[in-house]
Amino acid sequence: MEIIIKASQFILSLSLLIVLHELGHFIPAKLFKTRVEKFYLFFDYKFSILKKKVGETVYGIGWIPLGGYVKISGMIDESMDTEQMKQPAQPWEFRSKPAWQRLIIMLGGVFVNFVLGIFIYIMLMYSYGEQYLPNDNVKDGVWVQDSLAMNLGLQTGDKILTIDGQKIKKFANLSLEFINGNRFEVERNGEILYQDIPTDFISQLMDRGKNAGPFLYPRYPFVIGQISEDSPNLESTLEAKDILISINGTPLKYYDEAKRILDMYKGQEVTATVVRNNTNKELNLQVTEQGTLGVVFTAVPLSDLEKLGYYDLADIEYSFGEAIPAGVNKSWKTLTDYVKQLKKIFNPSTGAYKGLGGFISIGSIFPDEWSAVSFWNITAFLSIMLGFMNLLPIPALDGGHVVFTLWEMITGKKPRDKFLEYAQLVGFVLLIALLLFANGNDLFRLLK
């Protein structure tokens, strides 16, 4: 059932983005009186699932979910209809239009993607605002219990101040900032330290597995998740959700402090103070010879930690006017972060290529339960990503057509149709190779 929910959200999001992207080409083409022969969601090689001709345009749904397209008369595109190009140019064809009109038609899809992403972020800010843990409010530093964090030279209690000289606003963004960064600054026991982020950090991150979770956490209180069946405290009055705050009078604020204290009382009975329903209770508990209580720790939501007085969360509401710059800023941050990650993919030493994924990876980022906030956040991210990718100067993408058109506008020389055909073919082969590699990565990770 979880797979169906994820897949449904992925298909819905993808379909929405494709249709709106192609509308970005379709509308200016129509405004400039250019004939559009087909408007398709997904590709229709050999046959279509649905199709209907309205006026001069066939609207349809293909069976290959790799994107979509509009077939514009007199244009060398993914349809590779070279026979049409051998005929004399007609006034309604793309190739007959002025270069500036062709440029607008080609940029229309990318424009819609960027505008859509910005619009969604603005509406999310206006409708839901933002709630997050400010990095400055993690006053007692991070909890280091992952080998990747240890390899970075981090220790529990370190306060991460900056990455590449930039202050970190949101604690939840730390992992992303480490991915994009090269050097970080920490405060440890009042001393400021600097440390380089390894070139292959992304590779190490990927090797942990996709279900490993963040490599850094805020420090959590010792909240009892459950009592083990073999625990010496199974018959005690200890209960799940109790918060352990002291052992034999020694204060215990965070879970990571428990091991050091319990090691002093191995095999002994101790008096522990717990918080239960906002009331302090003293319990007699037995410490095992291994220095444990035989219980399972559980992390609790940050909102609960705020109620307990551990962290102050930022809870920001935006008016519509305030949501506009907030949404634009979030869109710009999303785009710049994506570009930084893309650059690292082309540097083999980073290992970032391991993270390149196809449909399985994209589908997996959707939650396994419907959440409007998550769905629209992911859709906005994908829209901006799709806009940028289509803007890359690769033949077969919008950016490739834009480059050729700009060349024509600057030099006054239009590239020959045969050159455009070959360029389109090379670009198509490159895209197929990238698609196979990305989805091959998915299958490799799945099998692994």
Side-chain angles (χ1 to χ4, degrees), residues 351-414:
Y353 62 87
K354 296 180 182 180
L356 192 63
F359 298 116
I360 294 175
S361 289
I362 297 173
S364 67
I365 66 178
F366 287 91
D368 50 22
E369 293 182 356
W370 169 255
S371 165
V373 177
S374 295
F375 174 82
W376 288 114
N377 260 306
I378 295 169
T379 300
F381 165 74
L382 292 177
S383 189
I384 290 172
M385 182 182 76
L386 183 63
F388 178 78
M389 290 297 293
N390 267 284
L391 203 53
L392 293 177
I394 299 173
L397 292 178
D398 296 342
H401 292 285
V402 167
V403 167
F404 297 140
T405 306
L406 287 173
W407 171 262
E408 177 187 346
M409 294 173 73
I410 294 169
T411 65
K413 297 178 181 180
K414 188 175 182 179

Side-chain angles (χ1 to χ4, degrees), residues 181-359:
N182 298 295
R183 186 174 175 83
F184 65 95
E185 175 190 10
V186 301
E187 179 186 338
R188 180 182 301 160
N189 301 323
E191 182 182 1
I192 302 298
L193 305 172
Y194 295 89
Q195 181 71 36
D196 290 331
I197 300 172
T199 303
D200 65 342
F201 173 76
I202 299 176
S203 178
Q204 295 180 42
L205 191 66
M206 294 303 304
D207 289 342
R208 294 164 70 245
K210 68 176 184 178
N211 296 321
F215 73 98
L216 284 175
Y217 292 89
R219 299 174 76 180
Y220 287 95
F222 195 150
V223 181
I224 308 300
Q226 65 183 56
I227 303 169
S228 304
E229 291 295 326
D230 58 350
S231 171
N233 299 300
L234 186 62
E235 303 300 326
S236 72
T237 55
L238 190 65
E239 297 181 4
K241 297 185 180 180
D242 282 350
I243 304 171
L244 193 60
I245 61 170
S246 77
I247 298 172
N248 274 1
T250 303
L252 174 66
K253 186 175 182 181
Y254 298 112
Y255 171 74
D256 57 76
E257 299 170 328
K259 181 62 177 171
R260 173 181 57 82
I261 299 172
L262 290 172
D263 279 346
M264 297 189 295
Y265 302 105
K266 289 181 178 180
Q268 300 178 38
E269 186 177 276
V270 295
T271 300
T273 304
V274 301
V275 177
R276 181 185 302 165
N277 298 326
N278 298 319
T279 303
N280 288 7
K281 293 183 176 295
E282 288 194 351
L283 309 177
N284 292 323
L285 300 177
Q286 181 65 42
V287 182
T288 68
E289 295 294 339
Q290 292 74 39
T292 69
L293 294 173
V295 299
V296 178
F297 156 81
T298 184
V300 296
L302 290 174
S303 56
D304 289 347
L305 295 183
E306 183 178 40
K307 294 174 185 175
L308 293 167
Y310 278 81
Y311 298 109
D312 292 324
L313 303 185
D315 197 350
I316 306 172
E317 294 183 359
Y318 296 97
S319 66
F320 186 71
E322 293 169 334
I324 293 173
V328 171
N329 288 337
K330 186 172 177 65
S331 301
W332 178 249
K333 182 74 165 61
T334 299
L335 176 61
T336 53
D337 284 343
Y338 182 71
V339 172
K340 289 177 184 176
Q341 293 168 51
L342 197 63
K343 286 180 180 178
K344 294 202 172 188
I345 286 176
F346 292 104
N347 180 359
S349 62
T350 67
Y353 62 87
K354 296 180 182 180
L356 192 63
F359 298 116

Side-chain angles (χ1 to χ4, degrees), residues 90-110:
Q90 301 299 320
W92 62 79
E93 289 186 334
F94 180 81
R95 55 181 165 164
S96 299
K97 302 301 177 181
W100 68 271
Q101 291 186 3
R102 285 184 274 124
L103 183 65
I104 291 174
I105 291 171
M106 293 317 305
L107 285 173
V110 170

Side-chain angles (χ1 to χ4, degrees), residues 5 8 77 110 116 133 148 158 191 199 248 260-261 301 323:
I5 294 172
S8 299
D77 57 12
V110 170
L116 176 64
L133 172 60
L148 179 57
D158 283 352
E191 182 182 1
T199 303
N248 274 1
R260 173 181 57 82
I261 299 172

